[in-house]
């Protein structure tokens, strides 16, 4: 995980939940059965988020609400995707775009997601048209820069 960690959600969320329960990092690590350095790395974002079983254990130890557990699961899923993209060579802009899209998907209803997808497809068509016009007309390309 050698990329920019500012887009990661799990470290901040997990740390906030742990601290709100008044649990020290070392105590939490012992309760989860992980080395304290592992928990420290997870909270710093230098190690991948906990898996589903560890999140379940955290929900028991911290007595998390269903909503908090769901948020932790989503944040872990988001971060795994973001880290994977970065590790596969995606640019910072690409990773930020995907992260923003994931945030939007989380809050939209199915019909709204369909609308968003249709809008993105239309933007793609428009961008392709503009690019093809620029290639066929060098003056347009100069004017666009």
């Amino acid at each position: 995980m050698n990329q920019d960690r500012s887009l990661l959600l799990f470290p901040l969320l997990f740390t906030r939940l742990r601290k709100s329960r008044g649990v020290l990092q070392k105590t939490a690590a012992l309760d989860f059965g992980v080395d304290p350095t592992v928990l420290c790395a997870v909270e710093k974002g230098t190690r991948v988020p906990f898996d589903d079983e560890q999140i379940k254990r955290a929900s028991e130890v911290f007595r998390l609400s269903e909503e908090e557990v769901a948020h932790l699961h989503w944040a872990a899923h988001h971060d795994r995707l973001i880290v994977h993209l970065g590790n596969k060579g995606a640019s910072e802009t690409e990773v930020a775009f995907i992260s923003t899209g994931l945030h939007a998907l989380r809050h939209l209803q199915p019909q709204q997601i369909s609308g968003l997808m249709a809008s993105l497809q239309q933007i793609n068509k428009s961008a392709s048209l503009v690019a093809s016009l620029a290639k066929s007309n060098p003056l347009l390309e100069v004017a666009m820069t």
Side-chain angles (χ1 to χ4, degrees):
M1 293 180 52
N2 54 358
Q3 66 201 48
D4 177 21
R5 294 187 292 268
S6 66
L7 294 175
L8 300 180
L9 306 174
F10 189 86
L12 182 63
L13 177 61
F14 186 86
T15 303
R16 190 183 69 204
L17 290 170
R18 177 183 60 76
K19 288 180 177 181
S20 73
R21 288 354 188 236
V23 179
L24 297 174
Q25 193 176 62
K26 186 172 183 175
T27 303
L30 294 172
D31 288 344
F32 299 148
V34 299
D35 189 278
T37 59
V38 170
L39 180 56
C40 180
V42 167
E43 289 189 357
K44 285 182 180 178
T46 57
R47 189 174 177 109
V48 295
F50 286 145
D51 62 23
D52 290 347
E53 192 59 38
Q54 291 167 315
I55 291 173
K56 181 181 177 193
R57 181 73 183 126
S59 74
E60 294 165 354
V61 170
F62 296 157
R63 295 188 170 118
L64 301 177
S65 69
E66 285 184 31
E67 184 179 333
E68 290 170 323
V69 173
H71 197 176
L72 263 183
H73 278 291
W74 185 84
H77 177 70
H78 168 275
D79 289 4
R80 285 185 203 107
L81 289 172
I82 294 305
V83 168
H84 180 75
L85 289 170
N87 289 342
K88 291 296 183 180
S91 71
E92 286 183 29
T93 301
E94 292 167 326
V95 172
F97 185 83
I98 298 296
S99 176
T100 301
L102 290 170
H103 280 281
L105 285 175
R106 180 170 186 255
H107 299 290
L108 296 176
Q109 299 300 317
Q111 288 180 328
Q112 294 168 318
I113 293 171
S114 296
L116 175 61
M117 291 299 291
S119 295
L120 289 172
Q121 289 166 348
Q122 187 58 49
I123 290 169
N124 181 41
K125 286 178 187 177
S126 298
S128 294
L129 286 172
V130 169
S132 69
L133 287 173
K135 286 180 186 175
S136 65
N137 186 346
L139 294 176
L140 182 60
E141 189 174 334
V142 170
M144 290 174 43
T145 56

